[in-house]
Amino acid sequence: MRTKSENYIKLEFPGKSANEALARSAVAAFAAQMDPTMDELGDIRTAVSEAVTNAIVHAYPDEIGTVWLTARILKNGEYLEIIVRDKGRGIENVEQARQPLFTTGGEERSGMGFTIMETFTDRLTVRSRPGAGTTVTMLRRIRKKH
């Protein structure tokens, strides 16, 4: 979404599983200024967890790489945009990767990451180039309370 943000945060962290909770909490704290419901906040936390976990597990399977996260408030405080980016191995076939139950992470992975992200956001965009990394952009509308 090419819109000037009203406010934003940018985080950069090593792709370690302990940092998934940091990313989830940071975005939830940032989104709190939009006065989301508890359900909306839970959805945001879940979507961020999935996106960051995908970057940690799939982008850098044999090393600890860097994950970048940006969250922006857009459209008069009505939308939260979350971007999770890595420079890892990338995704060969994005459409296949977005299918439920498809995984490259072995038996312990459910293959539901993108499906969960789609369920808990209003729009999900995945851009990837093999060998160059992946960018996941999620957009979530926060309903104004009257």
Side-chain angles (χ1 to χ4, degrees), residues 40 42-44 46-47 115-122 139-140:
E40 288 170 331
D43 291 352
I44 291 164
T46 300
T115 301
I116 291 168
M117 286 180 246
E118 264 180 322
T119 300
F120 291 115
T121 61
D122 295 304
L139 192 66
R140 174 62 193 242

Side-chain angles (χ1 to χ4, degrees), residues 53-105:
T53 297
N54 271 4
I56 292 168
V57 170
H58 299 289
Y60 305 112
D62 302 317
E63 63 181 317
I64 295 176
T66 301
V67 178
W68 292 268
L69 185 147
T70 303
R72 302 187 315 152
I73 297 173
L74 306 172
K75 300 270 188 174
N76 297 320
E78 191 174 347
Y79 288 92
L80 177 67
E81 179 187 64
I82 303 156
I83 301 169
V84 177
R85 185 171 58 88
D86 65 69
K87 291 186 179 178
R89 68 179 179 177
I91 301 170
E92 289 285 334
N93 184 331
V94 171
E95 289 308 311
Q96 183 181 35
R98 289 183 70 162
Q99 296 302 309
L101 305 178
F102 179 82
T103 185
T104 59

